[in-house]
Amino acid sequence: MTAELIEFYAKDGVALNGYIIKNKKKTKKLLIEIHGMTSNCFKKRERVIAETAVKMTNVDTICINTRGSEITKYIKNMQGEKKLAGTAYEDIEESYYDILGIVEYALNLGYTSIYLQGHSLGATKVVFSYMKMIEEDVKEVNNIKGIILLSLVDIPELFRILSCEKFLPHAEKMEKDGKTLTLMPEEAFIHPISVKTYLKYTKYNNDIDFAQYNKKDYKFEVINKIKIPIFMRWGNNKELVNMKTETLVELMNNVIKNKNKDISYIDGADHTYSDKEYSLAQEIVNFIKKMELTYLTGRKNNENISYFSRWNEG
């Protein structure tokens, strides 16, 4: 099983890359993996999930480096112009262009049924981008057949927990002075972060503040708008949520109304699933297999299943 490097353009023309792992048997189904903060597509977690999915299901897998991969880097557009990027400078709103770009790339390769998977901040990007695709009524959204969210974090709450918000006056002053690309003081976050990105997480965060686990009677309206099958996992060892994972999973199973949901946790896993990558991969594979089995059963019995009736075999 070998990986082939790929290059593609985000919807706004930024050049990005990643890799694809293919089945021996041709398929029209694809899993796309999106990494989290300071990470990249070559992490063990993404590789294990990709290899397991390709080996045990009839899906291929693409893992990409978004413009937010690594801490800092330069990205180029089609004109060759350079721009600061990486986790320290990213704007989650731009992840929409990255994800729509790789979905279009996949469709051009002949895939018709796509699962979108994100880890941590990558999960936030997947939800944000999928909902924007629906809002923008782009045709590509109809090819997304499942959403896989790994350790979805309440980003604004994380900044509050880490006492990062005390640096907000400094960030606002820098913004007023036109210095949004300047790095914040070292103590402002757990890794280098620009004023622009810091303000996105702490002040201009309405579009990404849809995982308010600690807010009483919160309805999770954004996540509940996801009607296609949804898979959610966390670890219960030093996970980045301000409650016991077991309590969180119970909460989410109660408030998420999706009839095709699979919400649980990996026992003993931390936020990055270190040493639990294979357990996580197996549960993702089981989710994909269940989706396919449900579709095939529905076809055999000629049942009218709203989601699976739209599934494209391949």
Side-chain angles (χ1 to χ4, degrees):
M1 186 181 301
T2 58
E4 174 187 341
L5 294 177
I6 63 169
E7 294 183 348
F8 68 98
Y9 287 102
K11 190 64 176 177
D12 61 349
V14 169
L16 299 172
N17 58 26
Y19 65 86
I20 184 171
I21 300 179
K22 297 181 180 179
N23 274 272
K24 292 181 179 179
K25 181 181 178 181
K26 189 173 178 61
T27 179
K28 294 183 179 180
K29 303 184 181 75
L30 180 72
L31 170 66
I32 295 176
E33 297 190 276
I34 309 296
H35 60 76
M37 282 186 181
T38 73
S39 191
N40 59 57
C41 66
F42 298 104
K43 295 297 184 180
K44 181 179 179 181
R45 177 188 56 249
E46 276 72 32
R47 176 177 57 80
V48 169
I49 293 171
E51 292 177 349
T52 304
V54 170
K55 181 179 180 180
M56 301 186 67
T57 66
N58 188 28
V59 300
D60 293 347
T61 302
I62 285 179
C63 302
I64 70 166
N65 283 325
T66 69
R67 69 190 70 198
S69 65
E70 309 302 337
I71 296 180
T72 61
K73 64 179 181 180
Y74 279 109
I75 54 175
K76 292 183 179 181
N77 59 19
M78 291 180 177
Q79 290 73 43
E81 299 169 331
K82 293 197 302 184
K83 177 182 176 182
L84 276 171
T87 292
Y89 294 95
E90 74 174 326
D91 183 339
I92 286 185
E93 291 187 16
E94 294 177 334
S95 66
Y96 171 72
Y97 303 117
D98 299 354
I99 292 176
L100 183 54
I102 191 58
V103 169
E104 288 185 343
Y105 177 86
L107 295 179
N108 287 333
L109 291 180
Y111 297 102
T112 58
S113 300
I114 295 172
Y115 305 89
L116 275 182
Q117 173 193 301
H119 170 256
S120 192
L121 184 65
T124 303
K125 293 176 181 179
V126 165
V127 174
F128 171 80
S129 300
Y130 179 71
M131 296 312 302
K132 187 167 182 178
M133 288 183 200
I134 292 176
E135 292 168 6
E136 298 289 330
D137 195 26
V138 298
K139 63 182 184 300
E140 291 84 359
V141 75
N142 296 314
N143 295 94
I144 300 174
K145 307 302 183 181
I147 298 293
I148 299 171
L149 306 177
L150 310 178
S151 293
L152 177 65
V153 176
D154 181 353
I155 298 294
E157 177 66 12
L158 177 63
F159 272 75
R160 287 188 285 270
I161 293 172
L162 296 176
S163 300
C164 299
E165 286 188 323
K166 64 184 179 182
F167 293 93
L168 184 56
H170 171 81
E172 291 174 331
K173 181 180 184 305
M174 296 297 285
E175 180 185 32
K176 185 177 180 180
D177 293 341
K179 299 180 179 179
T180 57
L181 294 183
T182 302
L183 290 178
M184 292 287 292
E186 183 179 352
E187 300 82 6
F189 197 48
I190 54 179
H191 57 67
I193 187 170
S194 67
V195 171
K196 177 190 74 169
T197 303
Y198 173 91
L199 287 170
K200 180 62 181 179
Y201 295 149
T202 58
K203 185 176 181 180
Y204 305 123
N205 55 25
N206 287 341
D207 289 341
I208 62 170
D209 198 14
F210 45 69
Q212 299 181 38
Y213 305 127
N214 292 95
K215 186 175 180 179
K216 186 177 181 181
D217 299 324
Y218 187 64
K219 303 299 183 183
F220 293 89
E221 292 179 359
V222 172
I223 298 175
N224 269 317
K225 289 180 181 178
I226 299 175
K227 303 305 180 185
I228 59 176
I230 185 170
F231 176 99
M232 303 181 78
R233 286 296 185 276
W234 292 268
N236 63 349
N237 176 28
K238 299 180 181 179
E239 185 57 276
L240 298 182
V241 290
N242 197 22
M243 65 172 66
K244 285 188 175 181
T245 303
E246 294 84 350
T247 303
L248 173 60
V249 167
E250 182 180 3
L251 168 68
M252 298 303 284
N253 273 305
N254 287 332
V255 298
I256 300 303
K257 306 304 181 184
N258 192 311
K259 293 182 179 179
N260 292 301
K261 66 187 176 186
D262 185 341
I263 303 174
S264 190
Y265 64 91
I266 304 295
D267 190 36
D270 59 19
H271 182 69
T272 61
Y273 300 89
S274 300
D275 299 322
K276 296 291 183 178
E277 296 92 349
Y278 291 95
S279 297
L280 175 64
Q282 186 61 63
E283 294 200 10
I284 292 172
V285 164
N286 290 342
F287 172 70
I288 294 173
K289 285 182 175 181
K290 183 179 179 180
M291 290 170 62
E292 294 194 54
L293 179 61
T294 303
Y295 164 72
L296 293 173
T297 302
R299 279 284 296 256
K300 184 176 181 180
N301 296 333
N302 196 29
E303 295 173 355
N304 181 20
I305 302 177
S306 60
Y307 163 68
F308 292 103
S309 63
R310 298 197 305 272
W311 181 271
N312 294 300
E313 291 184 86

